[in-house]
Amino acid sequence: MRTISELSSLSGRVALITGAGGHIGSVIGDALAELCADLILLDREERQCRESEARISGLWGVSTSSIIADLEHIGDFNIVDEVMKIFGRLDILVNCAAFVGTDKLEGWNAPFAEQGVETWRRAVEVNLTAPFILSQALAPMLSESGHGSIINLSSIYGVCAPDLSIYEGTDMHNPAAYAASKAGLLQLTRWMSTVLAPRVRVNAITPGGVEREQPEGFIGRYAARTPMGRMAREEDIKGAAAYLASDLSGYVTGQNIVIDGGWSVW
């Protein structure tokens, strides 16, 4: 019987993380690298991606490479060819990239009546269509691994409807496209878990709201509505990522680990 350290080790395995230059993606990179996985970091922001690559490689001593690509235009590159050129294999796929928009994007951070169809399409393309295409393309490689694992990053708004009262007095809104695409990703997770079994496990992580310099009133109202009394931090995601990527979860598939401080309990 293997020990916990043996079950958790990712030595000799390769993980592809999308959105790897972002807050959560880079933290997941740290978690998997600490367990000795080699990494392919994919992001559209070259500077952030290269910085994550250099930091993770220097900190954990694993082989790390970057792919600079925009998942909104996923047809512009061949992910299988890219992975084969770098490591020639893949064991873990983390679909972390997300379309989160900006305050300046028309039809995004707006009341429901003003949310746009074009921004809806863009969010669905990145948050749902890209994970489908990547998972489909890379499934044969993951199947050959013997340890194939897909981890999809959803959101608490893929599980729960928004409580709009926590947004009062701010310029923040809750885009329907983000919620619907993240909910769709959870069903895609369940669907793929049976279709790709038993060679590839497919699970999801659903973080609650992460504190990132939001207005003080919003943070306070969010924390008050949460049993743990605070918003999430990026490092709260590390344990679930390590668990689902490794053989610690070798008999776990089709599941959604909700990391929300108890938000969804009430």
Side-chain angles (χ1 to χ4, degrees), residues 57 62 70 72 82 122 130 155 191-192 232-233 259-260 265:
S57 179
V62 298
D70 187 346
E72 196 173 342
E82 295 289 339
R122 293 180 66 186
S155 163
W191 189 91
M192 290 195 301
R233 308 181 186 107
I259 305 172
D260 68 347
V265 174

Side-chain angles (χ1 to χ4, degrees), residues 141-155:
M141 203 179 300
L142 292 166
S143 182
E144 291 173 5
S145 150
H147 303 279
S149 175
I150 296 175
I151 304 170
N152 294 321
L153 270 290
S154 184
S155 163

Side-chain angles (χ1 to χ4, degrees), residues 95-233:
N95 288 307
C96 185
F99 186 93
V100 295
T102 67
D103 289 343
K104 297 179 181 179
L105 180 64
E106 186 176 352
W108 181 253
N109 184 38
F112 179 51
E114 299 172 19
Q115 292 176 24
V117 172
E118 181 57 30
T119 52
W120 169 284
R121 291 193 179 107
R122 293 180 66 186
V124 170
E125 188 71 14
V126 176
N127 298 352
L128 185 56
T129 305
F132 165 75
I133 292 174
L134 291 172
S135 299
Q136 184 185 57
L138 295 168
M141 203 179 300
L142 292 166
S143 182
E144 291 173 5
S145 150
H147 303 279
S149 175
I150 296 175
I151 304 170
N152 294 321
L153 270 290
S154 184
S155 163
I156 194 62
Y157 288 128
V159 175
C160 301
D163 177 356
L164 296 181
S165 68
I166 67 174
Y167 295 89
E168 291 178 2
T170 76
D171 294 327
M172 301 167 62
H173 298 276
N174 193 287
Y178 184 81
S181 59
K182 288 299 188 178
L185 187 59
L186 290 176
Q187 182 57 21
L188 180 63
T189 298
R190 290 184 283 264
W191 189 91
M192 290 195 301
S193 73
T194 65
V195 172
L196 298 181
R199 301 291 294 173
V200 181
R201 298 181 298 107
V202 188
N203 294 285
I205 296 173
T206 291
V210 179
E211 184 172 344
R212 292 193 193 123
E213 300 181 353
Q214 295 95 337
E216 184 176 340
F218 174 85
I219 294 173
R221 287 190 291 270
Y222 193 104
R225 197 190 179 285
T226 309
M228 291 295 290
R230 64 173 176 86
M231 295 187 73
R233 308 181 186 107

